[in-house]
Structures are given as C-alpha cells and as structure tokens.
Amino acid sequence: MEPDPTRGNRRNIQVAAIAVCLAAVGPCAAAGEAPSGDAGLEEVVVVGTRTAARTAADLAVPVDVFSREDIESVNSSDLLEVMKTIVPSFYVDRVPIADGASFIRPTKLRGMDSHHALVLLDGKRRHRGAVMRLGSFGPHGVDIGGIPSIAIESVEVLRDGAAAQYGSDAIAGVLNFKLRAKAEGAHLRVRVGGYGQGDGEEATLEGGAGLPLGPDGFLHLSAQVSDAAATSRSEPYDLPIAASGQTPLQATRNELTKDGVTYYGPDAFSYVYARDGTLLQVLPGSDGVPDDLDTRYADNYHTIGGDRPFAGPEQIWGAPARRQAMFVANAAWPLSQTITVYGFATYSRKDQTSGFFYRRPGVSQLLPVRLANGAIHDPRATLYPSGFTPQFHGAVRDHAGHIGLRGEWTVDGMEDGGIGYDLSATYGENTIHYRIENTLNPSLGPDTPTSFRPGTLVNDELTVNADFTWPLTVLGDKPLHLAFGMEHRNEGYRVAAGEPSSYAVGPFARPDPFNLEVTQAEVDADPHDDVTVIACRVPGFVAVGALCPAGDPVNNTVPIGSNGFPGYPPAFASDVNRRSRAGYLDVELDLTPEWLFNAALRHERFADFGAVTIHKLATRYRLTDAVNLRAAFGTGFRAPTPGQISTSNVSTRIGPDGTPVAEGLFPAAHPASGLFGAKPLVAETSRSFSVGATAVWRRWQFTVDHYRIELDHRITLSSRFPVGEVERARLVALGVPGASEIAQVRFFINDVKTRTQGLDVVANWQAGDTSIDAAVNFNRTELLDRGRFVFAEAEYDIENGLPVMRALITARREWGRLALMARARLFGKHSNAQTSLLKEIQRFGPQALLDVEAAYSFGRYRLKVGVENALDDYPDEAAHETCCGMVYRRDSIVPWQGVLFYLQIGGRFE
C-alpha cells in the first residue's frame, strides 16, 4: 500500500488537538493544594500478596488499581471494552468473522494470550469460556464479557508472573475484579449511544442495591440488561465478473441499478451487466437457469444477508448485534466475631448475531443437480437467486456460584495472632449454542433446511480451595507472614454434535446419485460379448452410445453440511475432563523496616500431564521514604487446555489467493494432523523476570517496571498445509467429515520458543479537583526458536503484528457540580507480512484517539455526555490478506468503528 502523504500531517494535528484538550481539562492547581489520599498507589490490594493491609506501593510486584470512576468513564455494557480502554497492556480485538471468537473474544495481557493471564472474581478463580479461538496461539481464556461492569467496585491488575502463587494460568499476570459489597443504598443508570455512521445503537439499563443480612452482614444485588445493534464498516463486495468461462465485460465490480437503487454484487451467474444496469450479454448454457434470473437477481438482492438491516447486505464487517442480561449477587453473613460465611453467584445470557462470507451465484454451493425423475433442482431459482450470506448466531449462557467460610482460629499461647482460614468451593459453566440461518446443506438438494443448529460447546470447572494465613514474629522482632493451602480443580470441555441435517452427507455429495448416466458395466447383460452400451437417460437427451452432455447438472458434486459452519458430526464430538491438585507455600518477611522479601513454592499435579514444581522470588527495598525498588523472578507451567487438545473444526477462511476456502483444524493427536507430521501436545514452561521502581515527587507518583517472559514449548497454530489430491484421498480414507472440500489443514503444535519483554510506565498527578493519569506499555515478542510447522510469515506477524507501544493519558477536572474528562489513547506502529517471502510488508503508523466527557451532578443524579474517538479517526486500510468488502484488518488492535456518542444518567439513593 502506498503511504498517504497527508496522513502524517493529519496525525500531527490530531496529537496537537489532544494535547490542547488535555491541557484545558487539567490546568495546574494552586501550589498550596495537597494531593488527594485516594491515589491508586495508596489503596489496599488483594492480588500480589497474601498479607492484609498491603498497599500497591508496598508490594514487591506491580499492581494497578482502577476505581469505580475509571470503569464508569467508558460507555459500554461490555466489560472487555472497558478494560481495553483503561488498561494499556490489555488488548482485545474485534474479529467480525471468526466463528465463536466473534462472540467470546480472546484477550491479551502484556502481549500474552488470554490463557496466560489468570482472572479472579473477588479473589476466586473464574472458569474459562466455551470458545477457543481457532487461530494464532489458540487463546482459550475467561469470558470477561460475561461479567457486568455495574457489579464491579474496582479492578486490580497484577502485571507480573504469578503462577507459583495462583496457579498455572498466571504466567503473564492476574486480573482481579472486586465485587460491590454494601449493605445499604441503591444505584440506577441508563445509557444510550451510537456510532457516527448511524449504526451500533446501544441502550443499557443497569443498577444495584445493598441489603442488610443480620446486624453485620450484607447482600448486594446487581443487574444489567442491554441491546446493541450491529455495525458495518464494509465496502461493496469487489470481485471480478466472469461467467461460463467468458471474458468479463467489467473487470472489477457489477453495479446493477433497478428502480433508482444501485445494487452491488457479482454477475448473476450467466448474465453480464454494464454499470448503468444495461444487460450487455446473456451467456448461453445448459444449466437450466431460467431466463428471468437477471430480474430476480435484482429483486432479491436485499435478501442476500438474511434480515440484517444494511444497504450493502452481501458482506458485513462489523460488530455483531447483541442482547444480554447479567445478574450478580454478593453476600456475607458473620456467624460470630471470628467466623463469616460468604458467597456470590453470577448469571449471564448473551444472544449475538454475526455473518459469514457471501456466497455469490455460481459457486459450488449453488450448482444445479438432477433429481431422480431427471428434473433439475437449482437452488438459485428456488432459494437464493442473488446468492446468500449465512447468518451466524451464538447464544452464550454462563452461570457460576461460590461459597466459602472464613475466619480465624486461635489457640491459647499463640502470641502472634491466630491462623486465618478460608475454605471455599466454586463451580462455573460457560456454554455457547450455535445456530446458523440463511444457508443450506447443498448435498441434501431440495430437502435441505435453511436453518441449522450445528452444535454446542461447554466448558465447566469445579475448584475447591483451602487457604491459610499465619502471622509470626521471627528473628527477634521481624514480622513473617506465612500462607499455605491446597487446591483441587476439575475442568471439563465438551463438544456436542449438531442436529443431523447440519452435517448429513446427502445424495448430491457425489455425481449422478440416481444412475441417470448408465455405463456398459451397468446395462450389459452379457459381459462376455463384444457389445458396448452407454446410455444417458436425461429427459430431452435420451441416447444410447453417448454420455450425458458435458456440463449437465447430472455431473455436479456439491458440498456437504450447513454451509458456512458445518455441524459437528459425531466424529468431531468430544468430552474431555481433567483433574489437577496443587499445594502451595507463600512467605513474606520484613527483613528490615525497609526490606521486604517474598518467596512462593507451588507443586501441581495434572492427571494427564504429570507433576511440576514452580517457584517465585520477589523483593522490595525502600530506598527512601519516596522511592521503592523491586524485582521478581519466577517459573511457570501451563498444560494445554482441554479445548486445545480435543477441538476439530471445518470452517471458511481467507485462502492464500484472497478467496474463501474450507480449512480443517484437527487435534495434534488426530490422524489427519499426523499426515502432516503433527505430534501430541506437551505442557508449556515459562521463566519470568521483572525489575522496577516506585517514586513520589511532590504531587506525582511514578512506577516503572521492565519485564521479560520466556515461554518454552509454546503452543501455536501451525501454518496452513495445502491439501492436494493425495492428501485429500487420505483424509477421505480416514473418514474425515467434509474431506472432499478441505483445501488446507492446520493444527496446534508445540513449535516455538518465545520471549516477550517490555516496559510499563505509570504516572499519577493530583491536586485538589484536578488529576492526570498516564500509563504507557512498550511490548515486543520475539521467536527465539521455531520448528518446521511455523513458516516465515507467521514468525514475522508474531513479532511485528501488535503495536510496539500503547498509552493512555487521562485528565479530570471538577468545578463544583461540573466535571470534565479527556482521555488520549495512543497506539504505536506495527506491520504485517503478506507471504513467507516477506517481500510485501504493510507498515501501520502510530495512531491517536481522543475521548471527551462532561458530567453534571444535581441532587442524587448525575448526567454524562461523551464522545469516544471524537476526531473520528481510523486505522490504515488493509493492503493485503483482505477480500470480500473488508476495509481494515480484522485483527486490528486499533479500533475501526469510528466516533461514538453517548448519553448517560444515573442516580444514587443512599
């Protein structure tokens, strides 16, 4: 792609505008004002330590704390959108056509995948989502979008490897969402918003209330319901027009104007139009297409995308339509002065609708076939005259419950205090039910449904914990905080087969299923004579001694399965369970008033991947009252998730030539993967190191941390292996469903060793009613080693595909009842390779987005008006690996939806 000569100047203007806006919101306060005591460094935290009453500044590891105000500053009912807006090292992209990953979106923390970051809800492990992304490193993490933001009091982000403290998923860090816990008061909020392009309208109603349980207990209830319309950032589907092997009269795009409306789309199978809608040529053929197909193509163009309300329905790249309802109950009830029973429960349901690639007239899914009576069945004439775009629905259901008993056990003679205990159990389940509409199973011919249920994915998890803390005094007067405990976990992953019609192999999966074309072997009564009889029994062409005409539908073979997302056949269904047990020991010792030392040891045994012992050492030294130095080193271990071990899938992807093709993904231990050299998966192991400092200078608070994470045997998706005739024959012999259509095969494999390293810089300034918060993350991943299953293109994209820098700068200012907020979101440069030859590289420049918000308080109520991406900026358009109306890279970290306007009103009733 040629660089835009005006883009640099435009970005300079944007950055200057952002700087002016931030300066206007956050002017310097009077010299005599004192900094607020609510700064994040001073807040008591839960993660990173098992010692009560530690603040973020006192820890040996970096922890960021984001307040209720930070969470409410983002206009979205999706907690993922909130997190990616306020946490610079947290990434989540919006992939419009990615099967289930369009509905349960994978995330990254410090450049590592969602299964490398542990998610806690009120300090307790959260279960995984049902969807594993079938790409990149196969991220399979928690469905954070199933947690309602209205129920969250604050978020703690531990930016350091903590597997030895919390378990095998905490290689990159820990996210802890702290629930609201009040025994009184209520709050209610209504939000509406939409994008500047006139779509994506969203309405959200949310609220909560606290109730007393006995004299000292509480029950806090939270609920959120929302309805968000879909968005589209597509351009008209751009394909060359050719029919029946003829040279197209129009090389790039067909625009058919009818009744004053211009329709964009490829040629209507055997007709070629000029741009003004004039029918230029009718190409003859013997495919049985009615002569009025050109008229019906235009009349039915608006139905291509089902009922999705877009002017260009053939291909939609955007956010799915989404309806959701979520509920949280959090409670605690003291049984005595030393014993409390507590627990929480969550439930969410999300119904989302997205789309797939457009199937234009003339593709194999719409080929006509001959029926048993010799008549022609043409799905273009009966179902989809203009082609079709399958519509994909994901119904996500999530529920979880936690119950625990905590208290303190004291024994006579204990001088240092009692032993604290926390006995708890958590169960969670995440399920996604798939449905696909506006499609067909071509192999079933006229008997095909147009709506299918292709299957269900379920991930559930049971975790039982026994945690203990024991404060001691050692070496005379030095405080030692001892923590130890045990964990039992049972995780299951199930792929349930779809309804039979979604994977059925119908009669038209092979040519001439009704024996209309008869050969000598089938009609010759005496195989020993010299008579050769060949007959074609197609009505209108009954002949002896000749085959049916070339190109006649009797010879067509069409695909099997619900097109777009073939249903999971019984051969792809699976039910995998894993048990693991762990024990840990955690020691925190104040060697001196200035020097803190922490050590953790964890032994974990997996039923299918054996045992491992990992450790962590961390220290913090208070150099002065204003400066702390800290460092940490640890090891980690992550077994492949049950989903990574067991998933089989056939889906549509963009092939090397930029057109949609069928891709088969199989477990590493599957014989289909073995054809290309795959081996069973083994566990990943990690080593992490960090060093940093915190400082306070006048009204400023700073943290700077460098980190490095090396991951051995990292699981990644292999590059694409093309399927030739030999490989296809072997796949068919193995009984692989859909083998005849699979053009390429991929599988997960332990094939790379990576090093992810970077720098986190956080600064806070506060004086009176004015504050500025800035956070910058520099991050880079390198492949230290790769095997033969990852090609040069994948290596380049892994190392260069994410922005090298991401920053957030937020300024707030209050004037009595009025408050203003301005936030700059900055993204660094990155690049992408087209092929493994590395000759065509697209380089994406830095990006700056501006959000502004004004709030006004009156009585119990607060009104907010805001704009996200106020300058309506977009990332660079994609130069390659694009097709079908795509404008921006679908894995772009830089948002590509445009400007968003919102209005919010809320009330608090104490």
Side-chain angles (χ1 to χ4, degrees):
M1 172 177 287
E2 293 295 326
D4 181 353
T6 67
R7 189 169 183 85
N9 292 333
R10 185 169 69 248
R11 282 183 173 149
N12 290 338
I13 293 172
Q14 291 168 352
V15 172
I18 290 172
V20 171
C21 185
L22 291 173
V25 174
C28 295
E33 295 179 351
S36 169
D38 296 331
L41 287 173
E42 298 302 322
E43 184 166 343
V44 174
V45 297
V46 174
V47 298
T49 180
R50 297 186 187 271
T51 303
R54 290 274 191 206
T55 67
D58 287 332
L59 297 182
V61 291
V63 174
D64 295 327
V65 181
F66 298 92
S67 67
R68 179 79 230 155
E69 184 179 19
D70 295 321
I71 297 170
E72 292 181 351
S73 70
V74 182
N75 178 68
S76 180
S77 60
D78 189 343
L79 189 57
L80 284 173
E81 295 295 319
V82 175
M83 292 296 293
K84 81 170 188 178
T85 303
I86 65 176
V87 183
S89 58
F90 184 90
Y91 291 80
V92 59
D93 51 6
R94 168 71 70 186
V95 185
I97 300 179
D99 297 335
S102 298
F103 307 137
I104 299 179
R105 298 157 62 192
T107 63
K108 291 182 181 292
L109 182 66
R110 280 184 160 182
M112 306 292 286
D113 294 297
S114 52
H115 53 241
H116 293 131
L118 180 64
V119 176
L120 305 177
L121 186 60
D122 239 20
K124 305 301 178 182
R125 175 185 284 267
R126 187 73 171 171
H127 57 283
R128 298 184 203 277
V131 172
M132 178 191 69
R133 182 170 179 178
L134 306 180
S136 184
F137 293 103
H140 189 191
V142 172
D143 180 15
I144 294 177
I147 305 172
S149 59
I150 192 67
I152 306 302
E153 182 63 32
S154 64
V155 181
E156 298 172 347
V157 181
L158 167 60
R159 297 179 280 106
D160 195 65
Q165 295 170 290
Y166 298 105
S168 61
D169 294 339
I171 290 175
V174 179
L175 304 172
N176 182 38
F177 297 91
K178 298 176 69 173
L179 294 174
R180 290 189 172 192
K182 291 187 177 181
E184 59 184 7
H187 50 279
L188 185 67
R189 186 168 65 195
V190 179
R191 291 182 286 148
V192 293
Y195 287 95
Q197 293 201 20
D199 58 13
E201 301 88 352
E202 180 176 348
T204 302
L205 174 64
E206 53 193 353
L211 303 170
L213 281 182
D216 300 311
F218 72 88
L219 169 64
H220 196 279
L221 303 174
S222 302
Q224 180 188 85
V225 293
S226 63
D227 190 345
T231 65
S232 177
R233 299 297 176 265
S234 314
E235 64 181 6
Y237 199 159
D238 195 1
L239 283 175
I241 295 177
S244 302
Q246 302 293 318
T247 302
L249 299 183
Q250 176 188 325
T252 56
R253 183 183 300 152
N254 176 43
E255 302 176 3
L256 173 61
T257 301
K258 182 179 177 61
D259 300 329
V261 179
T262 299
Y263 300 90
Y264 299 90
D267 158 64
F269 191 70
S270 57
Y271 300 84
V272 177
Y273 298 93
R275 287 186 178 275
D276 62 1
T278 304
L279 181 61
L280 297 178
Q281 185 178 9
V282 178
L283 303 176
S286 57
D287 57 11
V289 179
D291 291 338
D292 65 345
L293 183 60
D294 56 323
T295 300
R296 288 184 297 103
Y297 172 70
D299 289 343
N300 293 278
Y301 181 82
H302 66 283
T303 67
I304 288 174
D307 59 356
R308 302 190 78 189
F310 293 102
E314 79 283 3
Q315 186 70 63
I316 299 168
W317 297 93
R322 171 172 51 88
R323 289 184 175 181
Q324 66 183 29
M326 297 184 284
F327 308 91
V328 175
N330 185 29
W333 187 10
L335 301 178
S336 68
Q337 291 184 346
T338 58
I339 303 176
T340 299
V341 61
Y342 70 97
F344 55 82
T346 65
Y347 173 80
S348 71
R349 56 180 300 157
K350 295 185 292 182
D351 295 286
Q352 302 172 85
T353 301
S354 184
F356 282 135
F357 292 102
Y358 172 44
R359 274 67 172 166
R360 62 193 185 279
V363 296
S364 61
Q365 293 88 349
L366 292 174
L367 288 177
V369 293
R370 291 278 185 185
L371 304 180
N373 62 3
I376 293 177
H377 166 67
D378 184 359
R380 294 163 297 179
T382 59
L383 290 176
Y384 303 117
S386 309
F388 66 100
T389 301
Q391 301 303 292
F392 194 43
H393 304 269
V396 182
R397 304 291 182 262
D398 189 289
H399 62 270
H402 175 86
I403 188 168
L405 187 71
R406 62 187 174 218
E408 185 176 272
W409 177 51
T410 58
V411 178
D412 292 340
M414 282 189 176
E415 299 179 357
D416 301 303
I419 297 177
Y421 60 87
D422 186 345
L423 310 177
S424 63
T426 306
Y427 176 79
E429 180 180 286
N430 186 274
T431 302
I432 183 166
H433 303 277
Y434 288 132
R435 188 174 82 255
I436 186 168
E437 297 177 342
N438 201 54
T439 185
L440 76 166
N441 181 341
S443 72
L444 295 177
D447 296 326
T448 179
T450 58
S451 177
F452 304 84
R453 295 189 178 276
T456 299
L457 305 179
V458 183
N459 196 104
D460 68 335
E461 189 169 330
L462 172 66
T463 305
V464 179
N465 292 91
D467 302 299
F468 304 90
T469 59
W470 190 3
L472 299 170
T473 301
V474 297
L475 302 177
D477 59 351
K478 295 178 174 56
L480 170 70
H481 301 273
L482 182 66
F484 54 95
M486 297 166 287
E487 178 181 271
H488 170 84
R489 189 154 53 100
N490 189 5
E491 183 177 7
Y493 189 77
R494 181 165 59 92
V495 179
E499 61 183 9
S501 60
S502 69
Y503 58 80
V505 181
F508 302 102
R510 64 183 180 90
D512 192 16
F514 304 112
N515 201 27
L516 296 175
E517 185 171 278
V518 185
T519 65
Q520 174 184 352
E522 296 165 322
V523 301
D524 201 352
D526 185 357
H528 300 293
D529 61 26
D530 296 329
V531 178
T532 299
V533 180
I534 300 176
C536 175
R537 300 187 298 195
V538 171
F541 194 90
V542 177
V544 176
L547 297 173
C548 295
D552 189 276
V554 75
N555 298 309
N556 287 336
T557 301
V558 295
I560 64 174
S562 47
N563 193 250
F565 194 102
Y568 294 112
F572 284 3
S574 62
D575 191 353
V576 179
N577 286 276
R578 166 188 293 151
R579 292 185 178 182
S580 64
R581 294 179 176 85
Y584 71 88
L585 177 66
D586 194 326
V587 177
E588 252 183 48
L589 174 62
D590 289 281
L591 292 170
T592 69
E594 294 80 22
W595 189 7
L596 171 68
F597 174 78
N598 173 256
L601 189 70
R602 187 180 187 93
H603 180 79
E604 199 153 0
R605 177 177 293 275
F606 292 81
D608 50 354
F609 283 93
V612 64
T613 300
I614 53 180
H615 65 272
K616 180 176 181 178
L617 300 173
T619 187
R620 182 264 300 151
Y621 187 78
R622 185 173 292 114
L623 193 63
T624 70
D625 289 341
V627 178
N628 288 339
L629 304 179
R630 59 193 180 194
F633 172 81
T635 59
F637 175 91
R638 191 190 74 85
T641 70
Q644 290 174 327
I645 295 172
S646 61
T647 296
S648 296
N649 180 268
V650 176
S651 58
T652 304
R653 302 295 181 200
I654 299 178
D657 60 351
T659 59
V661 297
E663 177 179 287
L665 184 143
F666 303 100
H670 194 283
S673 302
L675 293 177
F676 302 92
K679 297 180 181 179
L681 296 176
V682 299
E684 300 174 340
T685 58
S686 70
R687 294 175 301 280
S688 62
F689 169 77
S690 66
V691 60
T694 68
V696 177
W697 180 70
R698 295 186 178 179
R699 305 184 189 280
W700 286 96
Q701 295 176 327
F702 301 93
T703 70
V704 180
D705 294 276
H706 168 74
Y707 59 90
R708 184 177 67 197
I709 306 168
E710 291 188 1
L711 201 55
D712 290 334
H713 310 298
R714 186 169 183 176
I715 297 171
T716 185
L717 188 64
S718 73
S719 293
R720 296 175 173 89
F721 288 89
V723 175
E725 292 303 320
V726 174
E727 291 84 6
R728 181 167 289 107
R730 292 180 178 177
L731 291 176
V732 171
L734 289 171
V736 174
S740 60
E741 299 297 319
I742 295 174
Q744 56 196 31
V745 166
R746 307 180 83 180
F747 43 84
F748 288 106
I749 192 76
N750 300 95
D751 203 44
V752 296
K753 177 180 180 180
T754 64
R755 175 191 293 147
T756 299
Q757 58 184 338
L759 185 71
D760 287 320
V761 181
V762 179
N764 311 98
W765 179 89
Q766 186 156 358
D769 295 328
T770 303
S771 67
I772 297 177
D773 300 298
V776 184
N777 172 248
F778 298 91
N779 190 83
R780 183 72 180 270
T781 295
E782 304 172 77
L783 264 68
L784 303 181
D785 186 26
R786 69 176 171 93
R788 65 185 183 91
F789 298 103
V790 176
F791 302 158
E793 177 193 358
E795 177 179 7
Y796 184 91
D797 292 345
I798 289 171
E799 293 186 337
N800 301 279
L802 290 177
V804 70
M805 180 274 294
R806 188 166 178 231
L808 296 169
I809 306 172
T810 304
R812 293 185 175 92
R813 178 65 187 268
E814 295 185 8
W815 292 276
R817 296 182 177 181
L818 178 65
L820 295 182
M821 184 275 293
R823 176 173 51 230
R825 291 179 281 162
L826 310 176
F827 301 84
K829 59 184 181 180
H830 55 290
S831 56
N832 176 265
Q834 182 177 17
T835 68
S836 290
L837 297 177
L838 305 184
K839 290 185 177 180
E840 296 185 47
I841 304 292
Q842 181 175 8
R843 306 187 188 281
F844 299 85
Q847 198 85 30
L849 306 181
L850 173 66
D851 308 330
V852 293
E853 178 185 273
Y856 183 77
S857 300
F858 51 100
R860 297 177 176 178
Y861 301 95
R862 187 174 178 87
L863 176 67
K864 289 185 178 182
V865 179
V867 184
E868 294 182 6
N869 190 7
L871 302 179
D872 198 20
D873 198 23
Y874 295 83
D876 293 330
E877 296 184 2
H880 55 248
E881 293 184 8
T882 181
C883 83
C884 322
M886 182 192 301
V887 178
Y888 311 104
R889 286 193 59 83
R890 60 179 182 171
D891 58 354
S892 173
I893 296 298
V894 180
W896 41 265
Q897 303 272 46
V899 59
L900 173 70
F901 301 93
Y902 63 90
L903 174 68
Q904 172 183 306
I905 185 168
R908 296 181 182 274
F909 311 95
E910 302 296 340

